[in-house]
């Protein structure tokens, strides 16, 4: 079976083709921002040509995209209208009354400055359902038709429908959808009861509005790509990565595009999990470093952790959809180094991006970046960028660092370049600490997966700082997100709010709702033509202690729900709370707020094949030697060392070599520090470890 993974980023589109016979072909091509499907399809044709096949021979097409995310971050979605309960017109404006700057009287509130739905397009109609789902006031259908016609006249492209307590009883929202289809059939429709069927009215309203805001552009892109793939006979359908780490069909993604937020970022974490398992180290911390940002994820035992509700936002907006816990900081190869007027030496988060890029690109950039620093230190050689296909000028990098950093700090260019690298590495170290140590995980129990074009350049230093025992550099670090797309299953999560307590659990309600969710999840998978034998269901519950304001998600047992089931779920919550907050309260009652069923449709996963075996001597892979700047520890001065440069493709399983060393390949460069050594394992991953102290 031949499968492709395509991850569309802001600068490059990464592609990988994986065949069951062990064939792996990779490709990178510039993204086409105005229509990403153009670059995607062109890249697939090149990929197929390199593999010596016709694109119609590709059996499955998996896709990760930043299209939905970029629409939100760039505030360029469509014109949205909203129909909501009378009296709740300004809920999106008021939000949770939190302010980014608590003590400032002069600040813009982002959700008010860049409104998802302008106030003039937020229309109210008489209706009311209470928290138990009882209809207190019937829907005024005449008023609904009037408001829909008004929104049509104003030219909105999408309508969000969000009624109070629709998560309990969606009858009114569904009737409004029927009316919209009668009056305004071409408009994109977003129901809160379909997008986020859970309590918390602001977050639900925001998610429904966000889904409408990105809906037309994202669904048009998905539909366009799916049609092009169908014409080219590539697979049965395009399967897209969601923010929860699962795949959905193009049909589902078009209906609820808000589920695609952080799509490509999560794929990188999944790829890291597969890489760690293949090397025998399932607990991983992933570090995916690109030109502008670095993505950090933590997966104990190779399992994704889901973000807390307080953190499930994109840009300035709340999105109450499941998101795997991966976070991004402004640190990458293009991060700019500055010495400000006060003498403060900073690196990032501002980036030179792809255009004009680092100074060494000779593309108009004049500010020194971390890439310029690594060129100056001899780590990135003039002929190493994309295997020599991209010309760089080291002298421009040195000039930029000398004039804008070294001279201002009255230090040498060597110290300045090392300082740029160390400051940026420290930012990544702090991000990893935030998502491991401060959340109850010891980084010494994990392996660090170096991903992205720049991840293998920084990982050796970060692992040394945090005491992480090993760095794993995959065979193709620059396309790890594309690989991650080929390592997961089709997944649909169906939640609902139940509100019951462990002190007096409503077992009947729990059984009824869990059965309903199971049927809905199974139906979605069946609609995607997943065979029954490939379908499994996973349960989870959002719990909290009585008096708490927010929940933690915990896995729940299978089988009939009874007192034993409730007890097991509560114990899982105690353990999760103890890990997250270093305290557990076994004598307190626990509230079961939301229950969830995730339908999983298994698809064939890629298998990382073993490579040719060799002996311990890696000298045959040395293609040259070069002077490079290294240091023994943080207290030592940098020194120029005659350093071997290895060709990644020539390394064999079992090869070992000492640092300092540089390993070059098409999509990345790997650094091994002075007090470290590297081993190539059976599947071709480079394992970097610290030398044993004598």
């Amino acid at each position: 079976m031949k499968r492709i993974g395509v991850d569309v980023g802001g600068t490059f589109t990464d592609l990988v083709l994986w065949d069951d016979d062990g064939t792996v072909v990779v490709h990178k091509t510039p993204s086409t921002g105005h229509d990403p499907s153009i670059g995607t399809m062109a890249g697939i044709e090149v990929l197929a040509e390199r593999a010596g096949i016709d694109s119609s021979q590709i059996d499955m097409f998996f896709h990760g995209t930043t299209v939905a995310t970029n629409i939100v971050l760039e505030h360029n979605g469509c014109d949205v209208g909203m129909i909501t309960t009378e009296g709740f017109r300004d809920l999106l404006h008021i939000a949770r009354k939190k302010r980014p700057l608590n003590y400032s009287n002069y600040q813009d509130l982002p959700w008010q400055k860049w409104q998802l739905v302008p106030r003039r397009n937020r229309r109210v109609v008489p209706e009311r359902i209470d928290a138990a789902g009882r209809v207190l006031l019937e829907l005024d259908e005449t008023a609904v038709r009037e408001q829909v016609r008004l929104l049509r006249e104003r030219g909105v492209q999408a309508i969000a429908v969000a009624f109070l307590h629709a998560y309990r009883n969606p009858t009114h929202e569904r009737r409004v959808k029927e009316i919209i289809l009668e009056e305004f059939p071409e408009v994109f429709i977003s129901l809160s009861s379909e997008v986020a069927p859970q309590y918390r009215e602001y977050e639900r309203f925001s998610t429904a509005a966000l889904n409408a805001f990105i809906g037309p552009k994202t669904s048009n892109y998905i539909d366009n790509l799916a049609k092009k793939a169908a014409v080219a006979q590539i697979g049965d359908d395009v399967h897209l990565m969601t923010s929860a780490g699962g795949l959905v069909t193009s049909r589902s993604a078009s209906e609820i595009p808000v589920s695609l937020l952080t799509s490509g970022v999560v794929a990188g974490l999944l790829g890291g999990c597969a890489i760690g398992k293949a090397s025998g180290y399932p607990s991983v911390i992933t570090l995916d470093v690109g030109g502008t940002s670095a993505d950090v994820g933590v997966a104990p035992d190779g399992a994704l952790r889901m973000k807390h509700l307080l953190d499930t936002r994109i840009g300035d907006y709340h999105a109450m959809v499941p998101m795997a816990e991966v976070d991004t900081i402004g640190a990458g190869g293009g991060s700019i180094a500055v010495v400000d007027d006060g003498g403060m030496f900073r690196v990032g988060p501002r980036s030179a991006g792809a255009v004009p890029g680092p100074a060494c690109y000779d593309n108009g950039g004049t500010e020194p970046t971390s890439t310029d620093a690594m060129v100056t230190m001899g780590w990135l050689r003039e002929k190493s960028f994309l295997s020599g296909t991209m010309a760089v000028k080291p002298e421009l990098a040195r000039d930029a660092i000398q004039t804008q950093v070294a001279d201002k700090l009255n230090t040498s260019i060597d110290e300045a370049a090392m300082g740029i690298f160390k400051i940026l590495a420290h930012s990544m170290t702090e991000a990893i600490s935030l998502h491991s140590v401060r959340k109850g995980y010891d980084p010494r129990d994990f392996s660090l997966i170096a991903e992205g074009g720049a991840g293998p350049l920084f990982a050796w230093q970060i692992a040394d700082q945090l005491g992480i025992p090993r760095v794993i550099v995959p065979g193709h670090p620059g396309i790890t997100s594309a690989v991650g797309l080929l390592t997961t299953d089709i997944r649909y999560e169906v939640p609902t709010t139940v509100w019951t307590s462990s002190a007096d659990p409503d077992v009947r309600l729990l059984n009824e709702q869990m059965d309903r969710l199971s049927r809905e999840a199974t139906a979605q998978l069946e609609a995607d033509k997943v065979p029954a034998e490939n379908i499994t269901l996973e349960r989870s519950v959002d719990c909290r202690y009585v008096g708490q304001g927010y929940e933690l998600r915990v896995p729940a047992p299978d089988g009939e729900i009874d007192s034993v089931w409730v007890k097991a779920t509560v114990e899982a919550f105690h353990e999760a709370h103890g890990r997250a907050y270093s305290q557990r309260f076994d004598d307190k009652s626990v509230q079961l707020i939301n229950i969830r069923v995730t339908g999983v449709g298994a698809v064939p996963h890629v298998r990382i094949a073993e490579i040719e075996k060799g002996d311990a001597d890696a000298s045959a892979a040395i293609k040259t030697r070069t002077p490079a700047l290294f240091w023994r520890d943080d207290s030592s001065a940098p020194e120029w060392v005659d350093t071997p440069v290895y060709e990644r493709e020539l390394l064999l399983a079992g090869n070992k070599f000492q640092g300092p060393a540089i390993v070059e390949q098409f999509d990345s460069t790997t650094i091994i520090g002075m007090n470290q050594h590297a081993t190539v394992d059976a599947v071709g991953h480079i394992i970097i470890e610290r030398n044993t102290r004598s």
Side-chain angles (χ1 to χ4, degrees):
M1 179 176 284
K2 297 175 176 61
R3 288 156 284 187
I4 58 168
V6 181
D7 180 51
V8 178
T11 304
F12 286 103
T13 295
D14 300 333
L15 305 98
V16 59
L17 183 146
W18 210 297
D19 198 329
D20 287 344
D21 65 6
T23 301
V24 180
V25 182
V26 302
H27 180 51
K28 292 178 80 76
T29 185
S31 297
T32 49
H34 63 288
D35 183 358
S37 68
I38 296 175
T40 296
M41 297 305 297
I44 291 174
E45 290 301 320
V46 174
L47 192 71
E49 183 179 342
R50 289 185 177 179
I53 64 171
D54 188 270
S55 60
S56 62
Q57 294 177 258
I58 296 170
D59 299 295
M60 301 191 80
F61 181 0
F62 302 99
H63 183 39
T65 178
T66 58
V67 169
T69 304
N70 291 342
I71 291 172
V72 178
L73 297 180
E74 295 168 9
H75 306 290
N76 63 357
C78 73
D79 292 329
V80 180
M82 173 177 268
I83 296 176
T84 188
T85 306
E86 197 170 50
F88 290 84
R89 181 181 187 182
D90 292 318
L91 192 63
L92 282 179
H93 185 84
I94 299 169
R96 289 290 178 185
K97 297 196 291 187
K98 292 183 178 179
R99 301 160 62 86
L101 305 172
N102 287 335
Y103 302 106
S104 172
N105 291 325
Y106 304 97
Q107 60 178 303
D108 287 320
L109 300 179
W111 57 90
Q112 295 179 1
K113 182 177 181 180
W114 295 287
Q115 299 178 68
L116 293 172
V117 188
R119 191 173 193 273
R120 65 189 296 269
N121 287 343
R122 299 198 296 267
R123 315 306 301 175
V124 299
V125 296
E127 73 85 37
R128 194 59 178 265
I129 293 174
D130 68 10
R134 295 184 296 262
V135 177
L136 303 181
L137 178 63
E138 292 290 346
L139 176 69
D140 187 334
E141 296 189 8
T142 301
V144 172
R145 291 186 186 278
E146 291 175 355
Q147 300 301 343
V148 172
R149 290 167 183 168
L150 175 65
L151 293 173
R152 184 183 60 191
E153 292 172 2
R154 291 180 176 176
V156 302
Q157 298 160 284
I159 296 177
V161 183
F163 289 153
L164 198 66
H165 302 306
Y167 63 92
R168 277 293 201 189
N169 182 350
T171 304
H172 286 178
E173 285 196 356
R174 291 174 181 172
R175 179 55 187 149
V176 171
K177 182 176 182 178
E178 293 173 353
I179 294 173
I180 294 173
L181 290 174
E182 294 170 7
E183 299 285 345
F184 195 1
E186 66 272 24
V187 78
F188 183 92
I189 304 172
S190 174
L191 300 188
S192 76
S193 55
E194 294 179 349
V195 176
Q198 302 168 68
Y199 94 106
R200 284 197 168 89
E201 67 277 4
Y202 165 64
E203 286 81 3
R204 182 162 49 85
F205 279 40
S206 174
T207 307
L210 193 61
N211 191 62
F213 185 69
I214 67 175
K217 286 187 177 181
T218 307
S219 61
N220 286 342
Y221 163 68
I222 294 169
D223 293 343
N224 187 27
L225 179 61
K227 289 176 183 176
K228 290 181 178 180
V231 170
Q233 299 180 349
I234 300 174
D236 293 332
D237 192 9
V238 180
H239 290 79
L240 293 101
M241 174 67 68
T242 69
S243 56
L247 297 167
V248 294
T249 61
S250 60
R251 170 191 59 82
S252 178
S254 294
E255 292 172 355
I256 308 182
V258 74
S259 67
L260 302 181
L261 300 174
T262 73
S263 169
V265 175
V266 176
L269 176 56
L270 286 168
C273 292
I275 288 158
K277 290 175 182 176
S279 290
Y281 303 105
S283 291
V284 299
I285 296 172
T286 58
L287 176 69
D288 190 346
V289 186
T292 303
S293 61
D295 303 318
V296 174
V298 179
D301 295 321
L304 301 192
R305 296 185 301 153
M306 304 310 291
K307 282 188 175 182
H308 192 283
L309 175 64
L310 289 172
D311 300 322
T312 56
R313 62 174 66 204
I314 184 72
D316 304 314
Y317 310 105
H318 277 279
M320 197 163 60
V321 293
M323 292 185 182
E325 190 154 328
V326 184
D327 283 281
T328 301
I329 62 169
S335 294
I336 294 171
V338 297
V339 179
D340 62 24
D341 293 339
M344 182 68 70
F345 184 17
R346 295 180 286 107
V347 184
R350 193 164 61 90
S351 173
V355 179
C360 64
Y361 284 10
D362 193 20
N363 195 31
T366 58
E367 297 178 288
T369 67
S370 66
T371 294
D372 294 309
M374 289 182 279
V375 168
T376 299
M377 292 189 291
W379 297 0
L380 296 175
R381 300 185 310 124
E382 190 173 355
K383 297 181 179 179
S384 68
F385 282 76
L386 296 180
S387 298
T389 60
M390 181 176 178
V392 297
K393 294 187 176 181
E395 64 274 14
L396 296 179
R398 289 191 290 269
D399 288 346
I401 293 175
Q402 182 70 59
T403 58
Q404 299 187 51
V405 178
D407 290 348
K408 292 183 178 181
L409 295 176
N410 193 28
T411 189
S412 69
I413 190 172
D414 292 352
E415 292 279 0
M418 184 181 73
I420 292 171
F421 170 80
K422 282 192 170 183
I423 289 174
L424 205 59
H426 178 73
S427 297
M428 299 178 195
T429 300
E430 285 295 295
I432 292 174
S433 177
L434 177 66
H435 293 95
S436 58
V437 177
R438 301 181 198 181
K439 295 193 176 181
Y441 295 98
D442 188 339
R444 294 172 295 184
D445 296 332
F446 291 77
S447 298
L448 182 62
I449 310 296
E451 305 175 9
L457 289 159
F458 288 93
W460 70 278
Q461 172 78 2
I462 293 167
D464 194 59
Q465 292 291 308
L466 286 171
I468 298 174
R470 70 193 62 81
V471 173
I472 302 176
V473 184
H476 301 285
I479 51 92
T480 305
S481 289
V483 172
L485 293 167
L486 308 180
T487 65
T488 189
D489 299 307
I490 300 174
R491 300 175 69 91
Y492 290 104
E493 182 179 291
V494 188
T496 193
T497 299
V498 291
W499 278 101
T500 189
S501 171
S502 63
D504 184 23
D506 190 337
V507 173
R508 183 190 59 80
L509 173 66
L510 289 169
N511 274 298
E512 285 179 356
Q513 293 301 315
M514 196 72 81
D515 288 344
R516 178 180 65 82
L517 299 182
S518 298
R519 290 193 300 271
E520 290 184 13
T522 301
Q524 291 195 60
L525 293 169
E526 289 175 343
D528 291 340
K529 301 178 182 179
V530 177
E533 62 271 19
N534 292 348
I535 295 176
T536 57
L537 301 177
E538 299 174 354
R539 295 170 165 184
S540 60
V541 182
D542 297 345
C543 301
R544 69 189 190 192
Y545 291 117
V546 174
Q548 287 185 319
Y550 289 90
E551 306 81 42
L552 288 177
R553 177 186 297 198
V554 298
D558 294 327
E560 185 178 354
I561 298 174
D562 52 20
S563 59
V564 175
W565 185 95
V566 173
K567 183 177 181 181
T569 302
V570 168
E571 177 56 30
F573 169 70
H574 288 315
E575 292 180 5
H577 196 279
R579 177 178 291 278
Y581 303 112
S582 300
Q583 293 186 70
R584 53 182 288 167
F585 305 96
D586 295 78
D587 58 328
K588 300 293 184 182
S589 294
V590 174
Q591 291 178 317
L592 286 65
I593 305 298
N594 302 313
I595 59 174
R596 306 170 186 272
V597 172
T598 302
V600 181
V603 297
H605 294 181
V606 300
R607 181 182 60 85
I608 300 177
E610 295 186 356
I611 65 168
E612 182 182 348
K613 294 182 180 179
D615 54 26
D617 184 10
S619 59
I622 298 176
K623 61 179 180 180
T624 189
R625 302 184 73 89
T626 188
L629 196 67
F630 285 93
W631 51 94
R632 297 190 179 276
D633 53 52
D634 283 342
S635 62
S636 61
E639 54 186 282
W640 287 92
V641 182
D642 183 39
T643 306
V645 179
Y646 293 83
E647 179 65 55
R648 181 71 185 265
E649 292 183 355
L650 300 179
L651 290 171
L652 304 176
N655 284 173
K656 299 181 180 180
F657 50 98
Q658 287 287 331
I662 300 171
V663 181
E664 293 181 347
Q665 62 190 101
F666 174 77
D667 58 334
S668 188
T669 296
T670 301
I671 298 296
I672 296 93
M674 292 188 76
N675 297 317
Q676 297 173 328
H677 65 274
T679 304
V680 182
D681 70 7
V683 292
H685 299 158
I686 298 176
I687 311 297
I688 303 172
E689 299 174 298
R690 187 173 181 83
N691 294 334
T692 303
R693 292 181 174 86
S694 56

